[in-house]
Amino acid sequence: MGLQEEISRHRTFAIISHPDAGKTTLTEKLLLFGGAIHVAGAVKSNKIKKTATSDWMEIEKQRGISVATSVMGFNYGDYKINILDTPGHQDFAEDTYRTLTAVDSVIIVVDVAKGVEQQTRKLMEVCRMRNTPVIIFVNKLDREGRDPFDILDELENELKIAVRPLSWPINIGAKFKGVYNIYEQGLDLFKPDKQKVTERVEIDDVNDPAIDEAVGAADAAKFREDLELIEGVYPDFDVEAYLRGEVAPVFFGSALNTFGVKELLDCFVKIAPAPRPTQAEERVIEPQEEAFSGFVFKIHANMDPNHRSCIAFVKVCSGKFERNANYKHVRSGKMMRFAAPTAFMAQKKSVVDEAYPGDIVGIPDTGNFKIGDTLTSGENLHFKGLPSFSPEMFKYIENTDPMKSKQLEKGIQQLMDEGVAQLFVNQFNGRKIIGTVGQLQFEVIQYRLLHEYGAQCRWEPISLYKACWVESDDKAALDAFKKRKHQFMALDREGRDVFLADSNYVLQMAQADFPAIRFHFSSEF
Ligand code: G4P
């Protein structure tokens, strides 16, 4: 198969949702259809338990399992599908944002009873920033939930994207009877089954009496009314608008009962984009270019504390990746060869000889890689689009074992390279501040520093509201700002100026007092 053919059959995407909406269940059902697993329940153990307090052994166990399930590749018909897993726990949201830089599209799972929840809103913002095409799956139709029309309105208002239903439920909850596939005009009758696919009623059009027979006259009448309303209110589905990220097709179903999932998958492979061009600082890279290029979007540390090996996850952006070929690690300028790159098929990882755009390659690493690093056939390319967002929580990190300060330093550097959290150095007192999305990350860092680097640290409180990257075209204004706020100025790891605002009020005052300064809440501007 030629490069172009390989590219057009690849679909690389992530499933995102607020915890508990059904991401894991849906992932598993997709794998079931792809023949990648044979029984439901196989993926489940991947989940970091959503308990309020952290359970250490559990997380360590999960980390081991999740290397295998970080990427799940399988063939479905002529298509090669790569699902990139995102952590369920919201304290690892930053990981999810980065994974979104490596996908070409996204499926969002929403719980029909709960509607759009906070984390979904945030993740959608990231998709919008990158014009990532999204498909929405409204899940748990077998449970009592909201009116589907209300859900559509909510999706549109809360996620700020036009929606277009491509399937429609006949009743929900206890009275749930089935889903009509608008995209392909067929009716699926609901038969709860966790392992098997439901049966389908073939119909000619919406007036087919087979519908009345299948669901009863009253429900059939209501369904026809609904459908008329949909056709009146929503414009025809426009694939191009979906690919531009302007409209999200919506499917209804129940992942747990394997219902509505095949419709979603069949439509997904047809409409979802093949690997898209990647924007580098230098130029746009087209996937069909002969020369290989790719970037590291995730680094996964090994559980074994005795040898600190990691796996760097590289997304192939262009050309063909080949085992044992010489590639340039652009940041260091060094040429490297990879003797044992791994591919991820059906939850297993195995050494791979070649990989194509859209594929993810796992490269064993001993600390050479950093999130965002580029590998190429020789060209100096730097990929854009691995933004850091302002952390939500901040703490000073202090060394508690003066004999181990080197180890601590190294540990902090490497964990930050992995993207575990963000480091800022206060310019006024030189103290190191770690910024995270949630409390659990502080615990992860402390634990890993001790177990992998033999370094001990302690956290000290610092009351901060937000970190914002500041810049200005007016150097004098920037200098004046930095002078006035010198106690609250820090440098990020790239040496950029960051203002640490201790309250929303202070931030607003600063914005009002220094109109020449631009305040950014993500590192990509
Ligand atoms: P997540 O990855 O998004 O966090 O969600 P996950 O798939 O783990 O699903 C969360 C809970 O919702 C699970 O129940 C799961 O069984 C249930 N669920 C998923 N899809 C459906 C559906 O279509 N209908 C119904 N009724 N429930 C669904 P749990 O009790 O947390 O886990 P378990 O003990 O059942 O495994």
Side-chain angles (χ1 to χ4, degrees):
M1 212 182 286
L3 180 60
Q4 184 56 52
E5 277 167 283
E6 280 288 356
I7 293 168
S8 42
R9 76 184 197 98
H10 274 71
R11 300 284 182 274
T12 301
F13 74 107
I15 304 179
I16 55 180
S17 73
H18 191 85
D20 263 349
K23 179 174 75 71
T24 315
T25 313
L26 181 65
T27 307
E28 186 171 275
K29 296 308 161 83
L30 294 176
L31 294 177
L32 212 52
F33 280 112
I37 54 170
H38 299 292
V39 278
V43 180
K44 199 75 193 176
S45 52
N46 175 33
K47 231 177 8 171
I48 290 182
K49 287 267 177 285
K50 287 160 280 191
T51 44
T53 55
S54 57
D55 173 347
W56 262 111
M57 282 327 288
E58 196 55 33
I59 288 175
E60 281 300 289
K61 240 185 349 204
Q62 305 293 356
R63 276 179 48 210
I65 298 163
S66 65
V67 173
T69 53
S70 285
V71 182
M72 288 158 280
F74 63 92
N75 288 308
Y76 182 68
D78 294 334
Y79 297 95
K80 163 79 192 287
I81 297 179
N82 290 315
I83 306 179
L84 272 53
D85 193 27
T86 53
H89 201 293
Q90 62 173 7
D91 285 8
F92 300 105
E94 192 87 2
D95 245 23
T96 304
Y97 300 149
R98 275 194 300 261
T99 300
L100 292 182
T101 64
V103 300
D104 298 299
S105 70
V106 153
I107 292 179
I108 296 179
V109 185
V110 174
D111 182 328
V112 68
K114 295 191 181 142
V116 175
E117 294 169 270
Q118 179 220 358
Q119 212 170 322
T120 319
R121 223 172 280 133
K122 267 176 124 175
L123 293 166
M124 182 63 209
E125 267 170 45
V126 181
C127 294
R128 206 174 308 108
M129 275 167 70
R130 309 179 51 82
N131 301 321
T132 309
V134 301
I135 295 181
I136 300 170
F137 183 72
V138 180
N139 191 27
K140 307 198 187 181
L141 268 280
D142 60 313
R143 286 221 192 130
E144 297 307 323
R146 310 247 286 274
D147 179 73
F149 280 109
D150 289 347
I151 286 281
L152 290 176
D153 285 346
E154 183 173 319
L155 290 171
E156 205 151 57
N157 295 333
E158 297 278 334
L159 299 180
K160 301 192 181 65
I161 185 165
V163 294
R164 175 46 159 115
L166 288 188
S167 76
W168 195 252
I170 296 176
N171 284 329
I172 66 168
K175 288 197 259 143
F176 182 47
K177 290 194 176 151
V179 164
Y180 177 72
N181 186 335
I182 301 177
Y183 188 65
E184 290 188 333
Q185 298 212 340
L187 177 68
D188 281 344
L189 293 183
F190 176 61
K191 276 208 194 114
D193 193 321
K194 291 183 184 148
Q195 302 284 353
K196 275 206 313 272
V197 185
T198 38
E199 280 151 44
R200 152 169 281 227
V201 183
E202 290 304 332
I203 51 172
D204 297 330
D205 62 49
V206 288
N207 294 316
D208 198 323
I211 300 180
D212 301 65
E213 261 171 51
V215 302
D219 281 340
K222 166 82 170 59
F223 156 70
R224 290 191 182 102
E225 230 172 74
D226 282 357
L227 210 61
E228 209 170 296
L229 191 59
I230 292 169
E231 300 303 336
V233 172
Y234 296 98
D236 282 348
F237 175 57
D238 175 358
V239 180
E240 293 305 317
Y242 154 71
L243 291 172
R244 288 194 300 273
E246 291 165 10
V247 61
V250 181
F251 287 85
F252 293 86
S254 164
L256 187 63
N257 295 293
T258 327
F259 195 76
V261 178
K262 187 163 190 304
E263 286 69 17
L264 172 74
L265 181 59
D266 285 339
C267 177
F268 168 81
V269 290
K270 280 194 204 120
I271 67 170
R276 306 200 296 170
T278 319
Q279 177 73 52
E281 274 168 35
E282 293 79 3
R283 62 186 185 86
V284 174
I285 285 81
E286 300 289 338
Q288 59 272 19
E289 290 179 24
E290 286 294 318
F292 160 76
S293 65
F295 67 88
V296 177
F297 68 94
K298 178 184 179 111
I299 293 178
H300 208 296
N302 201 316
M303 294 190 2
D304 184 352
N306 295 325
H307 23 95
R308 202 162 38 240
S309 65
C310 306
I311 294 184
F313 289 78
V314 176
K315 154 104 189 260
V316 180
C317 297
S318 69
K320 185 160 97 174
F321 171 92
E322 285 170 300
R323 185 157 81 97
N324 278 325
N326 273 304
Y327 293 123
K328 184 171 189 176
H329 178 238
V330 174
R331 185 168 51 84
S332 68
K334 279 195 218 143
M335 295 305 280
M336 293 181 172
R337 274 175 48 166
F338 307 107
T342 51
F344 305 85
M345 279 300 276
Q347 292 202 287
K348 279 199 211 80
K349 117 179 152 19
S350 53
V351 172
V352 68
D353 289 319
E354 51 187 45
Y356 294 92
D359 280 332
I360 310 299
V361 185
I363 294 180
D365 174 41
T366 47
N368 290 313
F369 288 112
K370 209 166 134 171
I371 296 270
D373 276 1
T374 310
L375 288 173
T376 69
S377 294
E379 189 176 348
N380 280 327
L381 293 173
H382 299 84
F383 286 110
K384 284 173 121 177
L386 294 159
S388 304
F389 293 87
S390 171
E392 315 266 327
M393 299 174 90
F394 301 85
K395 284 182 186 178
Y396 281 123
I397 183 164
E398 299 295 344
N399 187 7
T400 49
D401 182 352
M403 302 300 286
K404 297 279 174 64
S405 63
K406 274 221 178 73
Q407 283 86 335
L408 183 70
E409 192 59 33
K410 181 163 177 214
I412 293 176
Q413 290 305 332
Q414 290 199 348
L415 293 184
M416 298 305 128
D417 283 351
E418 252 182 57
V420 173
Q422 294 182 58
L423 173 71
F424 303 100
V425 180
N426 189 310
Q427 293 180 37
F428 175 65
N429 55 21
R431 289 176 79 181
K432 291 193 174 69
I433 298 163
I434 302 283
T436 69
V437 182
Q439 174 60 27
L440 197 50
Q441 276 169 290
F442 290 113
E443 292 170 37
V444 171
I445 293 168
Q446 194 165 26
Y447 179 91
R448 290 191 56 193
L449 284 172
L450 182 62
H451 286 84
E452 295 172 29
Y453 299 88
Q456 292 189 29
C457 73
R458 143 181 114 235
W459 302 108
E460 287 207 358
I462 171 172
S463 166
L464 290 177
Y465 165 68
K466 263 200 164 70
C468 33
W469 286 262
V470 290
E471 57 157 5
S472 176
D473 300 327
D474 180 346
K475 187 169 180 312
L478 188 60
D479 287 344
F481 176 78
K482 281 160 71 173
K483 199 164 166 206
R484 169 96 73 87
K485 299 285 181 191
H486 68 283
Q487 287 181 321
F488 297 95
M489 291 306 298
L491 292 178
D492 74 1
R493 297 197 64 220
E494 319 295 328
R496 288 175 298 195
D497 286 319
V498 176
F499 171 51
L500 305 170
D502 53 358
S503 72
N504 190 18
Y505 175 74
V506 165
L507 180 60
Q508 284 179 359
M509 290 301 286
Q511 284 171 314
D513 290 349
F514 293 89
I517 308 283
R518 290 187 291 276
F519 296 78
H520 302 283
F521 298 98
S522 91
S523 65
E524 198 181 85
F525 42 83

